[in-house]
PDB file of all heavy atoms in Angstrom:
ATOM      1  N   ASP B 116       1.403   9.809  24.014  1.00 98.00           N
ATOM      2  CA  ASP B 116       0.573  10.129  25.187  1.00 98.00           C
ATOM      3  C   ASP B 116       1.501  10.240  26.397  1.00 98.00           C
ATOM      4  O   ASP B 116       2.084   9.211  26.877  1.00 98.00           O
ATOM      5  CB  ASP B 116      -0.440   9.046  25.372  1.00 98.00           C
ATOM      6  CG  ASP B 116      -1.502   9.371  26.447  1.00 98.00           C
ATOM      7  OD1 ASP B 116      -1.289  10.362  27.145  1.00 98.00           O
ATOM      8  OD2 ASP B 116      -2.433   8.601  26.576  1.00 98.00           O
ATOM      9  N   THR B 117       1.672  11.440  26.926  1.00 98.00           N
ATOM     10  CA  THR B 117       2.687  11.684  27.962  1.00 98.00           C
ATOM     11  C   THR B 117       2.252  12.756  28.908  1.00 98.00           C
ATOM     12  O   THR B 117       1.421  13.595  28.649  1.00 98.00           O
ATOM     13  CB  THR B 117       4.028  12.132  27.274  1.00 98.00           C
ATOM     14  OG1 THR B 117       5.004  12.429  28.270  1.00 98.00           O
ATOM     15  CG2 THR B 117       3.816  13.412  26.419  1.00 98.00           C
ATOM     16  N   SER B 118       2.913  12.711  30.118  1.00 97.00           N
ATOM     17  CA  SER B 118       2.766  13.749  31.102  1.00 97.00           C
ATOM     18  C   SER B 118       3.834  14.823  30.982  1.00 97.00           C
ATOM     19  O   SER B 118       3.824  15.794  31.718  1.00 97.00           O
ATOM     20  CB  SER B 118       2.752  13.160  32.536  1.00 97.00           C
ATOM     21  OG  SER B 118       1.609  12.378  32.692  1.00 97.00           O
ATOM     22  N   GLY B 119       4.795  14.611  30.085  1.00 96.00           N
ATOM     23  CA  GLY B 119       5.809  15.583  29.866  1.00 96.00           C
ATOM     24  C   GLY B 119       7.257  15.072  29.983  1.00 96.00           C
ATOM     25  O   GLY B 119       7.502  14.165  30.765  1.00 96.00           O
ATOM     26  N   PHE B 120       8.141  15.686  29.217  1.00 95.00           N
ATOM     27  CA  PHE B 120       9.534  15.355  29.260  1.00 95.00           C
ATOM     28  C   PHE B 120      10.224  16.006  30.464  1.00 95.00           C
ATOM     29  O   PHE B 120       9.793  17.079  30.956  1.00 95.00           O
ATOM     30  CB  PHE B 120      10.290  15.831  27.981  1.00 95.00           C
ATOM     31  CG  PHE B 120       9.964  15.076  26.780  1.00 95.00           C
ATOM     32  CD1 PHE B 120       8.855  15.410  25.979  1.00 95.00           C
ATOM     33  CD2 PHE B 120      10.721  13.957  26.379  1.00 95.00           C
ATOM     34  CE1 PHE B 120       8.555  14.673  24.822  1.00 95.00           C
ATOM     35  CE2 PHE B 120      10.446  13.294  25.191  1.00 95.00           C
ATOM     36  CZ  PHE B 120       9.343  13.611  24.456  1.00 95.00           C
ATOM     37  N   SER B 121      11.274  15.389  30.927  1.00 92.00           N
ATOM     38  CA  SER B 121      11.994  15.930  32.105  1.00 92.00           C
ATOM     39  C   SER B 121      13.036  16.919  31.679  1.00 92.00           C
ATOM     40  O   SER B 121      13.466  17.798  32.448  1.00 92.00           O
ATOM     41  CB  SER B 121      12.622  14.836  32.907  1.00 92.00           C
ATOM     42  OG  SER B 121      13.521  14.077  32.115  1.00 92.00           O
ATOM     43  N   THR B 122      13.524  16.838  30.442  1.00 95.00           N
ATOM     44  CA  THR B 122      14.528  17.799  29.916  1.00 95.00           C
ATOM     45  C   THR B 122      14.212  18.280  28.539  1.00 95.00           C
ATOM     46  O   THR B 122      13.500  17.585  27.732  1.00 95.00           O
ATOM     47  CB  THR B 122      15.941  17.140  29.812  1.00 95.00           C
ATOM     48  OG1 THR B 122      15.971  16.161  28.768  1.00 95.00           O
ATOM     49  CG2 THR B 122      16.332  16.439  31.156  1.00 95.00           C
ATOM     50  N   GLU B 123      14.630  19.500  28.238  1.00 95.00           N
ATOM     51  CA  GLU B 123      14.351  20.096  26.953  1.00 95.00           C
ATOM     52  C   GLU B 123      15.114  19.336  25.849  1.00 95.00           C
ATOM     53  O   GLU B 123      14.554  19.193  24.721  1.00 95.00           O
ATOM     54  CB  GLU B 123      14.783  21.543  26.979  1.00 95.00           C
ATOM     55  CG  GLU B 123      14.479  22.341  25.688  1.00 95.00           C
ATOM     56  CD  GLU B 123      14.796  23.792  25.793  1.00 95.00           C
ATOM     57  OE1 GLU B 123      15.323  24.194  26.842  1.00 95.00           O
ATOM     58  OE2 GLU B 123      14.502  24.540  24.827  1.00 95.00           O
ATOM     59  N   ALA B 124      16.314  18.869  26.125  1.00 96.00           N
ATOM     60  CA  ALA B 124      17.051  18.138  25.178  1.00 96.00           C
ATOM     61  C   ALA B 124      16.326  16.861  24.743  1.00 96.00           C
ATOM     62  O   ALA B 124      16.271  16.520  23.508  1.00 96.00           O
ATOM     63  CB  ALA B 124      18.429  17.755  25.718  1.00 96.00           C
ATOM     64  N   ASP B 125      15.742  16.151  25.647  1.00 97.00           N
ATOM     65  CA  ASP B 125      14.997  14.925  25.319  1.00 97.00           C
ATOM     66  C   ASP B 125      13.752  15.260  24.503  1.00 97.00           C
ATOM     67  O   ASP B 125      13.417  14.580  23.531  1.00 97.00           O
ATOM     68  CB  ASP B 125      14.573  14.187  26.574  1.00 97.00           C
ATOM     69  CG  ASP B 125      15.750  13.456  27.232  1.00 97.00           C
ATOM     70  OD1 ASP B 125      16.787  13.178  26.526  1.00 97.00           O
ATOM     71  OD2 ASP B 125      15.692  13.152  28.414  1.00 97.00           O
ATOM     72  N   ALA B 126      13.060  16.345  24.876  1.00 97.00           N
ATOM     73  CA  ALA B 126      11.886  16.759  24.106  1.00 97.00           C
ATOM     74  C   ALA B 126      12.249  17.096  22.697  1.00 97.00           C
ATOM     75  O   ALA B 126      11.547  16.702  21.725  1.00 97.00           O
ATOM     76  CB  ALA B 126      11.215  17.962  24.816  1.00 97.00           C
ATOM     77  N   GLU B 127      13.313  17.818  22.491  1.00 97.00           N
ATOM     78  CA  GLU B 127      13.743  18.232  21.157  1.00 97.00           C
ATOM     79  C   GLU B 127      14.194  17.036  20.296  1.00 97.00           C
ATOM     80  O   GLU B 127      14.109  17.062  19.099  1.00 97.00           O
ATOM     81  CB  GLU B 127      14.783  19.271  21.245  1.00 97.00           C
ATOM     82  CG  GLU B 127      14.284  20.637  21.758  1.00 97.00           C
ATOM     83  CD  GLU B 127      15.380  21.698  21.822  1.00 97.00           C
ATOM     84  OE1 GLU B 127      16.586  21.307  21.820  1.00 97.00           O
ATOM     85  OE2 GLU B 127      14.992  22.900  21.889  1.00 97.00           O
ATOM     86  N   ALA B 128      14.705  15.983  20.963  1.00 97.00           N
ATOM     87  CA  ALA B 128      15.176  14.823  20.276  1.00 97.00           C
ATOM     88  C   ALA B 128      14.011  13.934  19.788  1.00 97.00           C
ATOM     89  O   ALA B 128      14.109  13.280  18.748  1.00 97.00           O
ATOM     90  CB  ALA B 128      16.126  14.023  21.106  1.00 97.00           C
ATOM     91  N   VAL B 129      12.939  13.906  20.592  1.00 98.00           N
ATOM     92  CA  VAL B 129      11.822  12.954  20.317  1.00 98.00           C
ATOM     93  C   VAL B 129      10.687  13.559  19.540  1.00 98.00           C
ATOM     94  O   VAL B 129      10.165  12.946  18.615  1.00 98.00           O
ATOM     95  CB  VAL B 129      11.290  12.397  21.651  1.00 98.00           C
ATOM     96  CG1 VAL B 129      10.069  11.556  21.424  1.00 98.00           C
ATOM     97  CG2 VAL B 129      12.373  11.536  22.360  1.00 98.00           C
ATOM     98  N   LEU B 130      10.301  14.791  19.888  1.00 98.00           N
ATOM     99  CA  LEU B 130       9.058  15.360  19.320  1.00 98.00           C
ATOM    100  C   LEU B 130       9.038  15.508  17.796  1.00 98.00           C
ATOM    101  O   LEU B 130       8.012  15.453  17.175  1.00 98.00           O
ATOM    102  CB  LEU B 130       8.795  16.697  19.948  1.00 98.00           C
ATOM    103  CG  LEU B 130       8.243  16.622  21.372  1.00 98.00           C
ATOM    104  CD1 LEU B 130       8.137  18.029  21.992  1.00 98.00           C
ATOM    105  CD2 LEU B 130       6.944  15.922  21.443  1.00 98.00           C
TER     106      LEU B 130
END
Side-chain angles (χ1 to χ4, degrees):
D116 187 352
T117 177
S118 295
F120 288 87
S121 59
T122 70
E123 186 174 2
D125 286 338
E127 290 182 340
V129 173
L130 286 175

